[in-house]
Amino acid sequence: MKIGVCAFILISISSCVKEITLPGQSQATKMLVQSLIDNERPIRVFVTESSPVGGSTSINGIAGALVQLYKNDSLLQSLPYVFADSAKTLGVYQYTGFGIPGNKYSVKVSHPKYGVETGTDVLPKLPVVNSWQLIEYGDTSNQFIAKFRLQLQDDGADSNFYRINVSQEGQQFWVNGVNDTMFEHFELYPRPELSTILSDTIRDYDKYILFSNNNFKGQNKEIDLQFKVADLRNVVHTNLTVEIDHVSFAQYQYFKTVEQYREQSAGYQSAAVFSNIQNGYGIFMTQSIVPMTTAVK
């Protein structure tokens, strides 16, 4: 079964689509339910059709479903269907409120053709950051590599999972062929590289870092990382954000199995990509976000 899976670029919630073959699944089309709940954005639930191997690669949204969102087993709302993009090509069921850390969230998706599918996850508590610092902003002398340090206080739980994202946005200028100065908004999503040893590290589609607390349970862990940044010579102003997220086991396990799938040898079928959607396909996962933003220029 070839399943369209949204590669959640967790800073912007991109709708970039990856295709993943899930071994052992039936050829019957089912609903694919996907959601990422956090404390920074409205809650969105994508409901689309799965497609069999050799079938269409287009993403077909399902507009006629009843999507019910619950917090701690109490109904929050039956979610309205709205368009997720300006071109009105992909719809989403949306709750305008944000997730509240420490609470359990569930979704129940009902459709007369596809039946009922459910998913549940607990939104972790906010990660505790004792300190953070942009140590160096790169320039031509070091190939625009920036260095960043944070101190993360783990709460000592048996298993905690975290991720680090990096983004940069601002305004830059350039001069066109008739000597006019043009201004434009820019966004970058650099790949962070660790200078600190962490346990159980994996990548979100070979980009952002996820890891466990196995080598610093209950400790204040200093984490150093570096990443490529924008050349400031043509930049008017820019902000740099490093984001530390406390993620659920479901999110960690999802990206771990996606990484295993992507690294498997040609023709070899590994275990299926992790899903916590009952009676269907997809992923319902959570994260609590602490952004650390520096106004660079």
Side-chain angles (χ1 to χ4, degrees):
M1 176 63 65
K2 186 172 289 186
I3 306 297
V5 177
C6 282
F8 288 110
I9 307 302
L10 299 177
I11 293 172
S12 61
I13 312 300
S14 167
S15 58
C16 176
V17 171
K18 306 292 183 183
E19 289 185 354
I20 291 182
T21 301
L22 301 185
Q25 302 291 357
S26 71
Q27 292 295 310
T29 299
K30 292 188 177 183
M31 286 190 298
L32 176 64
V33 177
Q34 300 173 91
S35 183
L36 171 66
I37 294 179
D38 62 45
N39 58 307
E40 291 279 311
R41 288 171 281 258
I43 296 173
R44 290 174 146 192
V45 180
F46 289 88
V47 183
T48 58
E49 290 182 335
S50 65
S51 57
V53 173
S56 172
T57 58
S58 63
I59 302 302
N60 299 316
I62 298 175
L66 173 62
V67 179
Q68 296 171 298
L69 180 68
Y70 295 81
K71 184 177 78 172
N72 298 327
D73 300 322
S74 295
L75 179 64
L76 279 175
Q77 186 182 343
S78 295
L79 304 186
Y81 184 81
V82 299
F83 286 104
D85 60 339
S86 58
K88 296 185 177 181
T89 58
L90 181 64
V92 64
Y93 295 86
Q94 182 165 291
Y95 177 71
T96 56
F98 298 0
I100 301 175
N103 290 273
K104 180 177 76 171
Y105 288 88
S106 305
V107 68
K108 180 180 179 181
V109 183
S110 307
H111 190 274
K113 177 181 177 181
Y114 299 106
V116 178
E117 300 181 10
T118 60
T120 299
D121 202 7
V122 175
L123 181 57
K125 295 178 181 179
L126 284 171
V128 177
V129 180
N130 289 334
S131 66
W132 59 271
Q133 179 184 8
L134 177 61
I135 298 173
E136 179 181 350
Y137 190 94
D139 56 23
T140 55
S141 65
N142 67 349
Q143 299 182 321
F144 303 101
I145 301 298
K147 296 180 180 180
F148 190 91
R149 174 176 295 156
L150 67 97
Q151 291 190 351
L152 175 65
Q153 179 63 57
D154 184 66
D155 66 7
D158 288 339
S159 297
N160 280 328
F161 300 95
Y162 301 96
R163 66 177 289 141
I164 295 174
N165 306 322
V166 181
S167 63
Q168 185 173 9
E169 61 86 25
Q171 187 181 48
Q172 61 189 3
F173 67 91
W174 52 279
V175 179
N176 65 14
V178 293
N179 209 32
D180 293 328
T181 300
M182 312 296 291
F183 295 89
E184 62 181 3
H185 180 79
F186 74 90
E187 295 180 355
L188 300 175
Y189 300 98
R191 185 182 194 269
E193 304 292 346
L194 290 170
S195 304
T196 301
I197 296 176
L198 295 171
S199 297
D200 308 315
T201 56
I202 57 174
R203 292 277 182 175
D204 167 357
Y205 286 93
D206 201 36
K207 191 139 193 179
Y208 303 119
I209 298 171
L210 292 90
F211 56 95
S212 79
N213 67 337
N214 277 349
N215 70 346
F216 61 93
K217 288 181 182 178
Q219 300 176 17
N220 182 22
K221 180 67 172 179
E222 186 172 272
I223 301 173
D224 289 321
L225 58 147
Q226 58 185 30
F227 43 85
K228 195 167 185 177
V229 288
D231 183 348
L232 294 180
R233 287 174 292 184
N234 291 336
V235 168
V236 180
H237 60 80
T238 180
N239 291 329
L240 177 68
T241 298
V242 176
E243 185 179 284
I244 181 74
D245 304 339
H246 189 184
V247 306
S248 65
F249 170 79
Q251 183 181 151
Y252 179 83
Q253 191 67 12
Y254 170 73
F255 283 111
K256 179 179 180 179
T257 54
V258 166
E259 185 176 70
Q260 290 172 345
Y261 172 84
R262 295 177 70 247
E263 291 180 350
Q264 69 186 12
S265 301
Y268 173 75
Q269 294 296 318
S270 65
V273 172
F274 175 82
S275 171
N276 59 357
I277 299 299
Q278 303 300 312
N279 302 318
Y281 305 137
I283 184 68
F284 187 78
M285 58 187 179
T286 60
Q287 62 181 6
S288 291
I289 299 171
V290 170
M292 297 162 283
T293 300
T294 302
V296 178
K297 184 178 181 181

